[in-house]
Amino acid sequence: MAVATHRLDYLSDVLDEIRQQGLYRDLRVLQGEQEAVASFDGREVINLSSNNYLGLTTHPKLRRAAVEAVEKFGVGSGAVRTIAGTMALHEELEERLAAFKHTEAALTFQSGFTANVGAISALLAPEDVVISDELNHASLIDGMRLTKAARKIYKHKDMDSLEAALRESGDFRHRIVATDGVFSMDGDIAPLPQIVELCERYDAVCYVDDAHASGVLGQNGRGTVSHFGLDGRVDVQIGTLSKAIGVMGGYVASTRNMRNLLIHRARPFLFSTSQPPAVTAACIAAIDVLETEPELIERLWDNTRYFKQGLESLGYDTGTSETPITPVIIGEAKPTMEFSDRLFERGVFAQGIGYPTVARDRGRVRTIVTAAHTQDQLARALEVFEAVGREMGII
């Protein structure tokens, strides 16, 4: 093996600084399936770190659809969508997504991240402004950075702050208000009815990233727009196919004009090979499951209420969570990561998260329950949380 160039030696110092901050983490390696109880690093643990909200990663209908698609169409699509990579399966998925989200049209991307980057950067020009919640996802932030549009940040879920930003932005050609539907680190829900009302009052585009609401909130998991009864009043909805849907990818649900613009302007769409047949077919099957097995979402919320109440009764700070994402807020990075490691040693995988993903003093382990967990498993996890919390003097 060739010796690495000395010109990269400075990276050792960068990594040492990350270690000193208590933020350095080795990747946990999954052996086997992404289940409620899974094997990571050779240890069987109760898995509270997966976005597999409904357990669809191993659903038999999705497995079967993926296998059949490989046998019929092969393993890859062979090109970008704008050349030779648009398959009938892609069009079918997009038609199903548009119908599911009650929008005119939809367009799929390789991930929720690229859907946000592609959509927000395609929408904005130097004469425009995007007004963003301060806790929006990194993909929204990066999409904004790729544009030459002006940017304004409003305080988290603060409607007075949002209205002030809208008032100050009257001279711009177009205004876009961007918000997560469910905020991924705290599990709280955006006040979407008030945001929509302000957008309508100030003639601003309403743009919602619904990654963690897809499959979780609303009728059959249609997201926050459905949850609040706002169909037809939100201009752009971003969704993911990688979390509750159980597969991989993202999408933009909006008007037909928006779809056509993205086909011509969204760089991730233009310059990335399209989703392979197995992924696309499994996503179609997932929509079938959402529409026909509502009991999965009911079980998810039963488990959410049980586990959240258990953590709070132990005295943990779970912040402002309203969804299956329930943070256990510890504080500084080092004790947060120690807490996560001790949980893992006792059979519970809840990943520690610190700065810059969250504020320096708001380190937490982020727990996510799923429909696949049993209450016995969650009760066992709570016992471990209690034992480790008392050992460390957190509770």
Side-chain angles (χ1 to χ4, degrees):
M1 181 184 294
V3 177
T5 172
H6 68 279
R7 289 184 292 276
L8 292 177
D9 287 350
Y10 74 93
L11 296 180
S12 295
D13 295 333
V14 177
L15 291 169
D16 285 342
E17 184 178 348
I18 295 172
R19 291 186 182 94
Q20 289 166 12
Q21 294 169 347
L23 295 171
Y24 188 89
R25 308 295 285 169
D26 290 318
L27 296 175
R28 297 286 188 198
V29 180
L30 173 65
Q31 290 101 10
E33 296 182 344
Q34 188 72 259
E35 294 276 22
V37 174
S39 178
F40 285 89
D41 296 347
R43 183 188 296 269
E44 189 174 90
V45 291
I46 298 168
N47 184 4
L48 296 176
S49 288
S50 171
N51 294 319
N52 184 28
Y53 289 104
L54 301 177
L56 296 192
T57 62
T58 54
H59 195 289
K61 290 182 180 176
L62 274 70
R63 287 185 195 267
R64 186 163 56 249
V67 170
E68 289 174 358
V70 168
E71 290 175 344
K72 186 174 182 179
F73 300 109
V75 297
S77 62
V80 300
R81 291 283 299 271
T82 52
I83 299 179
T86 294
M87 305 176 74
L89 277 175
H90 296 129
E91 300 261 294
E92 179 183 351
L93 173 59
E94 288 159 355
E95 289 170 6
R96 291 293 304 277
L97 284 168
F100 184 72
K101 297 290 285 186
H102 298 161
T103 60
E104 279 185 8
L107 190 71
T108 52
F109 286 75
Q110 293 73 20
S111 68
F113 198 108
T114 56
N116 259 329
V117 168
I120 202 78
S121 57
L123 276 173
L124 290 162
E127 303 83 10
D128 304 327
V129 62
V130 58
I131 304 170
S132 173
D133 187 291
E134 65 180 342
L135 295 188
N136 276 342
H137 190 265
S139 55
L140 261 174
I141 295 167
D142 285 359
M144 290 158 50
R145 287 171 175 167
L146 286 174
T147 77
K148 295 181 180 179
R151 301 193 291 271
K152 291 183 179 291
I153 308 299
Y154 66 92
K155 295 177 183 176
H156 181 50
K157 294 171 57 173
D158 185 324
M159 295 300 96
D160 290 335
S161 178
L162 172 56
E163 185 165 17
L166 284 163
R167 279 202 203 100
E168 295 164 4
S169 305
D171 292 336
F172 289 94
R173 187 187 61 169
H174 300 303
R175 290 173 284 188
I176 295 177
V177 174
T179 182
D180 285 4
V182 171
F183 293 88
S184 61
M185 288 297 111
D186 290 293
D188 53 335
I189 303 171
L192 204 53
Q194 295 95 318
I195 293 171
V196 167
E197 188 177 310
L198 286 170
C199 286
E200 291 172 345
R201 189 184 311 165
Y202 288 91
D203 194 28
V205 171
C206 186
Y207 181 112
V208 179
D209 176 3
D210 238 4
H212 283 277
S214 300
V216 175
L217 291 173
Q219 182 187 24
N220 296 95
R222 285 178 169 84
T224 53
V225 176
S226 170
H227 174 72
F228 287 113
L230 296 169
D231 281 340
R233 297 177 67 189
V234 172
D235 302 289
V236 182
Q237 298 180 57
I238 306 298
T240 180
L241 302 166
S242 316
K243 296 180 172 63
I245 303 303
V247 197
M248 185 179 183
Y251 62 90
V252 179
S254 185
T255 64
R256 189 155 300 280
N257 280 343
M258 179 69 176
R259 172 187 158 92
N260 290 336
L261 174 71
L262 294 175
I263 289 171
H264 291 86
R265 292 278 181 85
R267 292 174 69 82
F269 183 87
L270 288 164
F271 297 107
S272 298
T273 297
S274 58
Q275 290 173 306
V279 166
T280 311
C283 289
I284 294 169
I287 298 173
D288 291 337
V289 172
L290 287 176
E291 292 178 333
T292 59
E293 299 183 33
E295 64 272 14
L296 290 176
I297 298 175
E298 293 167 10
R299 195 179 313 144
L300 168 66
W301 280 98
D302 285 343
N303 285 345
T304 295
R305 287 185 284 268
Y306 174 81
F307 192 68
K308 199 183 297 286
Q309 182 179 21
L311 288 173
E312 291 169 354
S313 67
L314 290 173
Y316 281 110
D317 179 1
T318 58
T320 56
S321 172
E322 305 169 77
T323 64
I325 300 169
T326 305
V328 175
I329 299 170
I330 305 300
E332 295 298 324
K334 286 185 179 180
T336 298
M337 299 310 171
E338 181 185 351
F339 183 68
S340 176
D341 289 341
R342 290 198 190 190
L343 291 174
F344 190 81
E345 289 166 5
R346 293 189 178 219
V348 174
F349 181 21
Q351 183 63 60
I353 297 171
Y355 181 82
T357 306
V358 296
R360 290 186 188 277
D361 62 345
R362 300 290 286 174
R364 79 277 309 272
V365 296
R366 185 180 69 163
T367 69
I368 299 179
V369 300
T370 72
H373 285 104
T374 66
Q375 288 207 351
D376 285 346
Q377 290 164 352
L378 296 177
R380 171 59 187 151
L382 288 168
E383 290 173 2
V384 173
F385 267 89
E386 180 176 15
V388 174
R390 297 202 188 284
E391 282 175 6
M392 293 184 64
I394 296 169
I395 56 172

Coordinates of all heavy atoms in Angstrom, one line a residue, residues 92-136:
E92 N -44.3 6.0 -12.2 CA -45.3 5.4 -11.4 C -45.2 5.9 -9.9 O -46.2 6.3 -9.3 CB -45.3 3.9 -11.4 CG -46.4 3.3 -10.6 CD -46.3 1.7 -10.6 OE1 -45.5 1.2 -11.4 OE2 -47.0 1.1 -9.8
L93 N -44.0 5.9 -9.4 CA -43.7 6.3 -8.0 C -44.1 7.7 -7.8 O -44.8 8.1 -6.8 CB -42.3 6.1 -7.6 CG -41.8 6.6 -6.3 CD1 -42.7 6.1 -5.1 CD2 -40.3 6.4 -6.0
E94 N -43.7 8.6 -8.8 CA -44.0 10.0 -8.6 C -45.5 10.3 -8.7 O -46.0 11.2 -8.0 CB -43.2 10.8 -9.7 CG -41.7 10.8 -9.3 CD -40.8 11.1 -10.4 OE1 -41.3 11.2 -11.6 OE2 -39.6 11.2 -10.2
E95 N -46.2 9.6 -9.6 CA -47.7 9.7 -9.6 C -48.3 9.3 -8.3 O -49.3 10.0 -7.8 CB -48.2 8.9 -10.8 CG -47.9 9.5 -12.2 CD -48.2 8.6 -13.3 OE1 -48.9 7.5 -13.0 OE2 -47.9 8.9 -14.5
R96 N -47.8 8.2 -7.7 CA -48.4 7.7 -6.5 C -48.1 8.7 -5.3 O -48.9 9.0 -4.5 CB -47.8 6.4 -6.1 CG -48.2 5.2 -7.0 CD -49.7 4.9 -6.8 NE -50.0 4.6 -5.4 CZ -49.9 3.4 -4.8 NH1 -49.3 2.4 -5.5 NH2 -50.2 3.2 -3.6
L97 N -46.9 9.3 -5.3 CA -46.5 10.3 -4.3 C -47.4 11.5 -4.4 O -47.9 12.1 -3.4 CB -45.0 10.6 -4.4 CG -44.0 9.6 -3.9 CD1 -42.6 10.0 -4.3 CD2 -44.1 9.5 -2.4
A98 N -47.6 12.0 -5.6 CA -48.4 13.2 -5.8 C -49.9 13.0 -5.3 O -50.4 13.8 -4.6 CB -48.4 13.6 -7.3
A99 N -50.4 11.8 -5.6 CA -51.8 11.5 -5.2 C -51.8 11.3 -3.7 O -52.7 11.8 -3.0 CB -52.2 10.2 -5.8
F100 N -50.7 10.7 -3.1 CA -50.7 10.5 -1.6 C -50.6 11.9 -0.9 O -51.2 12.1 0.1 CB -49.5 9.6 -1.3 CG -49.3 9.3 0.1 CD1 -50.2 8.4 0.7 CD2 -48.3 9.8 0.9 CE1 -50.1 8.0 2.0 CE2 -48.2 9.5 2.2 CZ -49.1 8.6 2.8
K101 N -49.8 12.8 -1.5 CA -49.6 14.1 -0.8 C -50.7 15.1 -1.2 O -50.6 16.3 -0.7 CB -48.2 14.6 -1.1 CG -47.1 13.7 -0.6 CD -46.9 13.8 0.9 CE -46.3 15.1 1.4 NZ -46.1 15.0 2.8
H102 N -51.6 14.8 -2.1 CA -52.6 15.7 -2.5 C -52.1 16.9 -3.2 O -52.5 18.0 -3.0 CB -53.6 16.1 -1.4 CG -54.3 14.9 -0.8 ND1 -54.9 15.0 0.5 CD2 -54.5 13.7 -1.2 CE1 -55.4 13.8 0.8 NE2 -55.2 13.0 -0.2
T103 N -51.1 16.7 -4.1 CA -50.5 17.7 -4.9 C -50.6 17.4 -6.4 O -50.9 16.3 -6.7 CB -49.0 17.9 -4.5 OG1 -48.2 16.7 -4.8 CG2 -48.8 18.3 -3.1
E104 N -50.3 18.4 -7.2 CA -50.4 18.2 -8.7 C -49.4 17.2 -9.2 O -49.6 16.4 -10.1 CB -50.2 19.5 -9.4 CG -51.4 20.4 -9.5 CD -51.1 21.7 -10.3 OE1 -50.0 21.7 -11.0 OE2 -52.0 22.5 -10.3
A105 N -48.2 17.3 -8.6 CA -47.0 16.5 -9.1 C -46.0 16.3 -8.1 O -46.0 16.9 -7.0 CB -46.4 17.2 -10.3
A106 N -45.1 15.4 -8.4 CA -44.0 15.1 -7.5 C -42.8 14.7 -8.3 O -42.9 14.2 -9.5 CB -44.3 14.0 -6.5
L107 N -41.6 14.9 -7.7 CA -40.3 14.5 -8.4 C -39.4 13.9 -7.4 O -39.2 14.4 -6.3 CB -39.6 15.7 -9.1 CG -38.5 15.4 -10.0 CD1 -38.9 14.7 -11.3 CD2 -37.7 16.6 -10.3
T108 N -38.8 12.7 -7.7 CA -38.0 12.0 -6.7 C -36.5 12.4 -6.9 O -36.1 12.7 -8.0 CB -38.1 10.5 -6.9 OG1 -37.9 10.1 -8.2 CG2 -39.5 10.0 -6.4
F109 N -35.8 12.3 -5.8 CA -34.3 12.5 -5.8 C -33.7 11.4 -5.1 O -34.3 10.5 -4.6 CB -34.0 13.8 -5.0 CG -34.4 15.1 -5.8 CD1 -35.7 15.5 -5.9 CD2 -33.4 15.9 -6.3 CE1 -36.0 16.6 -6.6 CE2 -33.7 17.0 -7.0 CZ -35.0 17.4 -7.2
Q110 N -32.3 11.4 -5.1 CA -31.6 10.3 -4.5 C -31.6 10.3 -3.0 O -31.3 9.3 -2.4 CB -30.1 10.4 -5.0 CG -29.9 10.2 -6.5 CD -30.4 11.4 -7.3 OE1 -30.5 12.5 -6.8 NE2 -30.7 11.1 -8.6
S111 N -31.9 11.4 -2.4 CA -32.0 11.5 -0.9 C -32.9 12.7 -0.5 O -33.1 13.6 -1.4 CB -30.7 11.6 -0.3 OG -30.1 12.9 -0.6
G112 N -33.3 12.7 0.7 CA -34.0 13.9 1.2 C -33.1 15.1 1.2 O -33.5 16.2 0.9
F113 N -31.8 14.9 1.4 CA -30.8 16.0 1.4 C -30.7 16.6 0.0 O -30.8 17.8 -0.1 CB -29.5 15.4 1.8 CG -28.5 16.5 2.3 CD1 -28.1 16.6 3.6 CD2 -27.9 17.3 1.4 CE1 -27.2 17.6 4.0 CE2 -27.0 18.3 1.8 CZ -26.7 18.4 3.1
T114 N -30.6 15.8 -1.0 CA -30.5 16.3 -2.4 C -31.8 16.9 -2.8 O -31.8 17.9 -3.7 CB -30.0 15.3 -3.4 OG1 -30.9 14.1 -3.3 CG2 -28.6 14.8 -3.0
A115 N -32.9 16.4 -2.3 CA -34.2 17.0 -2.7 C -34.3 18.5 -2.2 O -34.7 19.4 -2.9 CB -35.4 16.2 -2.1
N116 N -33.8 18.7 -0.9 CA -33.8 20.0 -0.4 C -32.8 20.9 -1.1 O -33.1 22.1 -1.5 CB -33.5 20.0 1.1 CG -34.7 20.2 2.0 OD1 -35.6 20.8 1.6 ND2 -34.6 19.6 3.1
V117 N -31.6 20.4 -1.3 CA -30.6 21.2 -2.0 C -31.0 21.6 -3.4 O -30.9 22.7 -3.8 CB -29.2 20.5 -2.0 CG1 -28.2 21.1 -2.9 CG2 -28.6 20.4 -0.6
G118 N -31.6 20.6 -4.1 CA -32.0 20.9 -5.5 C -33.2 21.8 -5.5 O -33.2 22.7 -6.4
A119 N -34.2 21.7 -4.7 CA -35.4 22.5 -4.8 C -35.1 23.9 -4.3 O -35.5 24.9 -5.0 CB -36.5 21.9 -3.9
I120 N -34.5 24.1 -3.2 CA -34.3 25.5 -2.7 C -33.4 26.3 -3.6 O -33.6 27.5 -3.8 CB -33.9 25.5 -1.2 CG1 -34.2 26.8 -0.5 CG2 -32.4 25.2 -1.1 CD1 -35.6 26.9 -0.1
S121 N -32.4 25.7 -4.1 CA -31.4 26.4 -5.0 C -32.1 26.7 -6.3 O -31.8 27.7 -7.0 CB -30.1 25.6 -5.1 OG -30.3 24.3 -5.6
A122 N -32.9 25.8 -6.8 CA -33.6 26.0 -8.1 C -34.6 27.2 -8.0 O -34.9 27.9 -9.0 CB -34.3 24.8 -8.6
L123 N -35.2 27.3 -6.8 CA -36.3 28.3 -6.7 C -35.8 29.7 -6.6 O -36.5 30.7 -6.9 CB -37.1 28.0 -5.4 CG -38.2 27.0 -5.5 CD1 -38.8 26.7 -4.1 CD2 -39.3 27.5 -6.4
L124 N -34.6 29.9 -6.1 CA -34.1 31.2 -5.7 C -33.1 31.9 -6.6 O -32.2 31.2 -7.1 CB -33.5 31.1 -4.3 CG -34.4 30.8 -3.1 CD1 -33.7 30.3 -1.9 CD2 -35.2 32.1 -2.8
A125 N -33.3 33.2 -6.8 CA -32.4 34.0 -7.6 C -31.9 35.1 -6.8 O -32.3 35.3 -5.7 CB -33.1 34.5 -8.9
P126 N -30.9 35.9 -7.3 CA -30.3 37.0 -6.4 C -31.3 38.0 -6.0 O -31.1 38.7 -5.0 CB -29.3 37.6 -7.4 CG -28.8 36.5 -8.3 CD -30.1 35.7 -8.5
E127 N -32.4 38.1 -6.7 CA -33.5 39.1 -6.4 C -34.4 38.6 -5.3 O -35.3 39.4 -4.9 CB -34.3 39.5 -7.6 CG -33.5 40.0 -8.8 CD -32.8 38.9 -9.7 OE1 -33.2 37.7 -9.4 OE2 -32.0 39.2 -10.5
D128 N -34.2 37.4 -4.8 CA -35.2 36.8 -3.9 C -34.6 36.7 -2.5 O -33.4 37.0 -2.3 CB -35.5 35.4 -4.4 CG -36.1 35.4 -5.8 OD1 -36.8 36.3 -6.2 OD2 -35.8 34.4 -6.5
V129 N -35.4 36.3 -1.6 CA -35.0 36.1 -0.2 C -35.6 34.8 0.4 O -36.8 34.5 0.1 CB -35.3 37.3 0.7 CG1 -36.8 37.5 0.8 CG2 -34.7 37.1 2.1
V130 N -34.8 34.1 1.1 CA -35.4 32.9 1.9 C -35.3 33.2 3.3 O -34.3 33.7 3.9 CB -34.6 31.6 1.5 CG1 -33.1 31.7 1.8 CG2 -35.2 30.4 2.3
I131 N -36.4 32.9 4.0 CA -36.6 33.2 5.5 C -36.7 31.9 6.1 O -37.7 31.1 5.9 CB -37.8 34.1 5.7 CG1 -37.7 35.4 4.9 CG2 -37.9 34.4 7.2 CD1 -39.0 36.2 4.9
S132 N -35.7 31.6 7.0 CA -35.6 30.2 7.5 C -35.6 30.1 9.0 O -35.0 30.9 9.7 CB -34.2 29.6 7.0 OG -33.9 28.4 7.5
D133 N -36.3 29.1 9.6 CA -36.2 28.8 11.0 C -34.8 28.5 11.4 O -34.1 27.8 10.7 CB -37.1 27.6 11.3 CG -37.3 27.4 12.8 OD1 -36.3 27.0 13.5 OD2 -38.4 27.6 13.4
E134 N -34.4 29.0 12.5 CA -33.0 28.9 12.9 C -32.6 27.4 13.2 O -31.4 27.1 13.2 CB -32.7 29.7 14.2 CG -33.4 29.3 15.4 CD -33.1 30.1 16.6 OE1 -32.1 30.8 16.6 OE2 -33.9 30.1 17.6
L135 N -33.5 26.5 13.4 CA -33.2 25.1 13.7 C -33.5 24.2 12.5 O -33.6 23.0 12.6 CB -33.9 24.6 14.9 CG -33.5 25.3 16.2 CD1 -34.2 24.6 17.4 CD2 -32.0 25.3 16.4
N136 N -33.6 24.8 11.3 CA -33.9 23.9 10.1 C -32.7 23.0 9.8 O -31.6 23.2 10.2 CB -34.1 24.8 8.9 CG -35.5 25.3 8.8 OD1 -36.4 24.8 9.4 ND2 -35.7 26.3 8.0

